[in-house]
């Protein structure tokens, strides 16, 4: 679960409730009169639309002056990349843009894995949790003093690569993976797709290309890591509220069975156990944006009812301040953009939100269908548009792919740095040897890829016959998510 911190707002905005568009507050009021929390949508997706490739996004970039000069060695192993100044791609203007409808294939799970309390990855479902209804009035401060918090670390993709290697070498699967264009954690792809609407926080990305696949990892500086690991008391408590809500909403046993772990004596009703953020259950899915096949991994909070081995019963859990008026409603609707793509990218069909007081007491619990979130904001001033986000994401990935291929030469150990500038766009440049040394961080790596994986891919590449065809992707049951 990726938690969103909220702050109390100032006086509520004025305006006629009778004339404004139906919003989240109306939905919350109507929720008392219906019982559709378990109605997970299975409606068929709309027909896939053809991607317009007449214009390459690479042609749209402009170069910015660079004080660093040309690029030197671009890796521990491999040859020099082609020198060039940083390339720049502007964000689309959300208020004046006509995005193309880029198809997005419904995610299909490839594999799942768990992290143990020691944060050791294992290919089991030992950390899988099941959804239970949380009681209203739950105190989200409970258990705070026993919170076991895993420190934030560099955004490595090692666990995702181990999952990919496991898939490729599993004899039960019969065939390998199709040709993959992008490998990334879900959080990184969420940031990329929502970037046109981000006006406050910038961030950075490291990129490598190996055997035709782009690998993405978030670049966290030491200062940024220190900031994330040294939150003030208020930030820590608000972050904990989200984790505590997860505990109230989940059990380690399916519905109808007694939990395996007994909670602490005197624990409140429905408390699922003290919070330990080292323990996680993750899903790895394959999907497709336009003509770019992707493998994306991310944590899943729980499943509703039965785990089917696919994403159809996945549930994402969120907390947010109770909506007290139109101003609060507008703030929540802006939050829904990230809520939406965090779930959409992993194929999660349901998001359960616990609305709380500033003191951390749950007042309302509401279930939302992921594919219906855009309808709640459509037509409102400043509303976000998922079609624009997907169009931007496709242009960015195509721009990045074309740029890397045109500058990498024959090197497969080069690293590129992508900088996302709020309300502006992204710049991309190849790192020199000193920059790559910082990325490696003294570890056994080629760039940011673990050396064992880099060597594995190289062996596969050399073992493939010149006329050998890549395994085709099997046809999925649903060709696209409905927006």
């Amino acid at each position: 679960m990726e938690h969103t911190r909220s702050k109390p707002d100032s006086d509520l905005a004025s305006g006629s409730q009778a004339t404004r568009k139906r919003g989240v507050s109306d939905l919350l009021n109507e929720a008392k009169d219906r019982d559709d929390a378990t109605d997970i949508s299975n409606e068929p997706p709309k027909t896939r639309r053809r991607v317009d490739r007449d214009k390459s996004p690479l042609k749209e970039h402009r170069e910015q002056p660079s004080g660093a000069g040309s690029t030197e060695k671009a890796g521990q192993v491999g040859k020099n990349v082609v020198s060039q100044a940083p390339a720049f791609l502007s964000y689309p203007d959300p208020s004046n843009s006509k995005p193309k409808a880029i198809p997005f294939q419904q995610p299909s799970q490839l594999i799942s894995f768990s992290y143990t309390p020691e944060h050791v990855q294992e290919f089991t479902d030992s950390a899988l949790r099941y959804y239970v209804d949380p009681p209203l009035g739950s105190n989200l401060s409970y258990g705070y003093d026993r919170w076991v918090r895993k420190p934030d670390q560099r955004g490595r993709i090692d666990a995702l690569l181990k999952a990919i290697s496991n898939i490729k070498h599993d004899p039960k699967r019969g065939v390998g993976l199709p040709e993959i264009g992008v490998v990334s954690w879900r959080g990184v792809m969420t940031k990329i797709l929502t970037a046109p609407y981000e006006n406050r926080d910038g961030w950075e990305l490291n990129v490598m290309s190996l055997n035709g696949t782009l690998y993405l990892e978030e670049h966290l500086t030491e200062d940024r890591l220190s900031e994330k690991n040294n939150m003030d008391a208020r930030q820590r408590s608000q972050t904990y509220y989200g984790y505590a809500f997860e505990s109230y909403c989940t059990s380690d046993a399916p519905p109808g069975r007694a939990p395996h772990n007994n909670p602490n004596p005197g624990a409140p009703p429905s408390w699922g156990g003290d919070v330990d953020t080292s323990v996680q259950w993750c899903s790895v899915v394959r999907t497709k944006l336009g003509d770019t096949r992707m493998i994306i991994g991310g944590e899943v909070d729980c499943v509703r009812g039965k785990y089917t081995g696919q994403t159809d019963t996945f549930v994402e859990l969120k907390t947010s301040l109770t909506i007290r008026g139109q101003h609060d409603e507008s703030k929540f609707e802006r939050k829904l953009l990230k809520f939406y793509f965090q779930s959409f990218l992993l194929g999660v069909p349901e998001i359960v939100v616990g609305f709380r007081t500033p003191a951390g007491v749950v007042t309302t619990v509401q279930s939302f269908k992921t594919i219906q979130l855009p309808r709640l904001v459509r037509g409102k001033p400043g509303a976000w548009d998922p079609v624009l986000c997907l169009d931007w994401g496709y242009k960015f990935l195509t721009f990045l792919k074309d740029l890397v291929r045109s500058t990498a030469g024959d090197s497969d150990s080069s690293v590129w740095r992508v900088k996302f500038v709020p309300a502006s766009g992204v710049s991309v440049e190849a790192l020199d040897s000193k920059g790559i040394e910082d990325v490696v961080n003294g570890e056994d790596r080629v760039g940011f890829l673990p050396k064992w994986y880099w060597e594995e891919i190289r062996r596969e590449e050399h073992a493939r016959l010149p006329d050998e065809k890549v395994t085709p992707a099997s046809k999925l049951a649903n060709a696209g998510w409905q927006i």
Side-chain angles (χ1 to χ4, degrees):
M1 169 175 175
E2 299 176 46
H3 306 286
T4 304
R5 297 193 295 270
S6 303
K7 296 186 287 187
D9 293 311
S10 57
D11 294 339
L12 305 180
S14 61
S16 171
Q17 296 292 326
T19 59
R20 70 180 180 86
K21 183 179 175 70
R22 287 180 73 254
V24 176
S25 60
D26 303 290
L27 184 61
L28 294 176
N29 291 332
E30 294 169 4
K32 299 178 182 179
D33 302 321
R34 64 178 185 270
D35 184 20
D36 63 352
T38 60
D39 179 20
I40 308 303
S41 174
N42 287 312
E43 56 186 292
K46 292 182 179 178
T47 303
R48 290 167 61 93
R49 296 173 182 170
R50 186 177 300 172
V51 176
D52 185 355
R53 299 195 203 97
D54 291 341
K55 187 175 183 182
S56 169
L58 184 58
K59 298 177 183 177
E60 300 178 16
H61 86 274
R62 62 177 184 270
E63 292 185 353
Q64 289 185 327
S66 173
S70 62
T71 307
E72 299 176 3
K73 282 187 177 180
Q76 298 171 301
V77 185
K79 300 179 181 179
N80 293 350
V81 299
V82 178
S83 300
Q84 75 166 40
F88 190 84
L89 181 67
S90 298
Y91 294 140
D93 180 0
S95 63
N96 185 28
S97 180
K98 296 181 179 179
K100 296 183 177 71
I102 305 298
F104 185 87
Q105 193 173 58
Q106 182 165 352
S108 175
Q109 181 171 269
L110 293 169
I111 196 170
S112 60
F113 63 86
S114 298
Y115 284 112
T116 68
E118 294 75 34
H119 204 65
V120 174
Q121 183 185 18
E122 59 181 29
F123 290 96
T124 71
D125 295 318
S126 61
L128 173 64
R129 307 284 292 182
Y130 297 87
Y131 180 79
V132 296
D133 291 319
L136 297 183
S138 297
N139 178 12
L140 299 181
S141 296
Y142 179 79
Y144 177 80
D145 56 334
R146 296 187 297 275
W147 176 17
V148 179
R149 184 177 183 273
K150 180 182 73 68
D152 283 285
Q153 300 171 331
R154 290 182 177 235
R156 301 302 196 192
I157 59 172
D158 295 23
L160 190 51
L161 301 180
K162 288 178 183 177
I164 292 173
S165 180
N166 185 292
I167 294 165
K168 291 191 295 185
H169 296 96
D170 184 355
K172 297 179 182 178
R173 295 180 180 270
V175 295
L177 289 170
E179 186 176 1
I180 299 300
V182 173
V183 173
S184 170
W185 286 119
R186 180 259 312 267
V188 167
M189 284 306 305
T190 298
K191 287 187 173 184
I192 291 172
L193 294 180
T194 60
Y197 292 97
E198 178 56 65
N199 296 314
R200 186 182 63 181
D201 299 324
W203 63 290
E204 298 181 358
L205 189 65
N206 294 325
V207 178
M208 290 185 68
S209 177
L210 183 59
N211 199 20
T213 300
L214 290 180
Y215 296 86
L216 314 179
E217 75 157 18
E218 183 175 4
H219 174 67
L220 293 172
T221 64
E222 292 302 322
D223 288 344
R224 180 63 180 137
L225 279 173
S226 176
E227 179 184 329
K228 290 168 72 72
N229 286 316
N230 293 281
M231 295 183 288
D232 60 36
R234 184 171 179 273
Q235 288 177 315
R236 281 182 60 88
S237 64
Q238 292 186 340
T239 299
Y240 179 77
Y241 289 161
Y243 292 123
F245 184 67
E246 283 186 30
S247 185
Y248 281 110
C249 289
T250 62
S251 169
D252 61 4
R257 297 186 188 177
H260 300 135
N261 299 324
N262 294 322
N264 294 318
S270 191
W271 180 251
D274 290 343
V275 175
D276 183 349
T277 54
S278 294
V279 179
Q280 296 173 304
W281 185 65
C282 299
S283 174
V284 179
V285 303
R286 74 177 180 197
T287 183
K288 193 175 179 182
L289 177 61
D291 57 2
T292 301
R293 291 193 179 98
M294 301 190 291
I295 289 183
I296 299 174
E299 182 183 3
V300 177
D301 293 329
C302 60
V303 299
R304 183 183 284 276
K306 181 181 179 180
Y307 172 49
T308 65
Q310 275 303 324
T311 68
D312 55 324
T313 59
F314 287 3
V315 179
E316 177 77 11
L317 302 173
K318 295 289 185 184
T319 57
S320 188
L321 272 175
T322 297
I323 295 175
R324 301 161 294 180
Q326 187 173 343
H327 186 57
D328 287 355
E329 182 174 332
S330 296
K331 288 187 66 176
F332 179 71
E333 288 170 348
R334 289 194 295 271
K335 281 188 188 180
L336 289 179
L337 172 61
K338 289 187 177 180
F339 286 13
Y340 173 74
F341 274 110
Q342 285 169 1
S343 294
F344 185 84
L345 286 168
L346 218 57
V348 180
E350 181 184 10
I351 304 169
V352 174
V353 180
F355 292 92
R356 61 169 181 83
T357 67
V361 177
V362 177
T363 58
T364 310
V365 176
Q366 177 64 42
S367 172
F368 297 89
K369 295 176 183 177
T370 300
I371 62 172
Q372 293 182 355
L373 290 187
R375 303 178 193 176
L376 297 179
V377 302
R378 189 174 297 149
K380 294 189 177 184
W384 49 268
D385 181 3
V387 176
L388 181 144
C389 294
L390 292 175
D391 183 39
W392 152 256
Y394 179 72
K395 286 181 178 178
F396 168 73
L397 292 177
T398 304
F399 164 77
L400 186 61
K401 181 167 49 178
D402 290 347
L403 181 64
V404 166
R405 286 176 177 174
S406 67
T407 59
D410 59 358
S411 173
D412 55 9
S413 55
S414 307
V415 181
W416 285 261
R417 176 68 45 76
V418 183
K419 297 182 179 180
F420 290 76
V421 182
S424 179
V426 297
S427 66
V428 185
E429 65 178 330
L431 297 181
D432 60 17
S433 56
K434 184 177 180 181
I436 293 180
E437 184 179 352
D438 176 66
V439 170
V440 172
N441 195 38
E443 302 167 20
D444 191 20
R445 300 181 180 275
V446 177
F448 60 80
L449 297 177
K451 193 171 183 180
W452 67 264
Y453 182 82
W454 187 86
E455 292 176 342
E456 181 178 294
I457 297 299
R458 289 295 302 271
R459 287 194 300 269
E460 292 175 1
E461 183 181 4
H462 293 155
R464 183 177 298 156
L465 298 175
D467 59 347
E468 182 180 344
K469 293 183 179 180
V470 179
T471 305
S474 60
K475 189 172 289 188
L476 303 182
N478 293 299
W481 267 107
Q482 181 179 357
I483 296 179

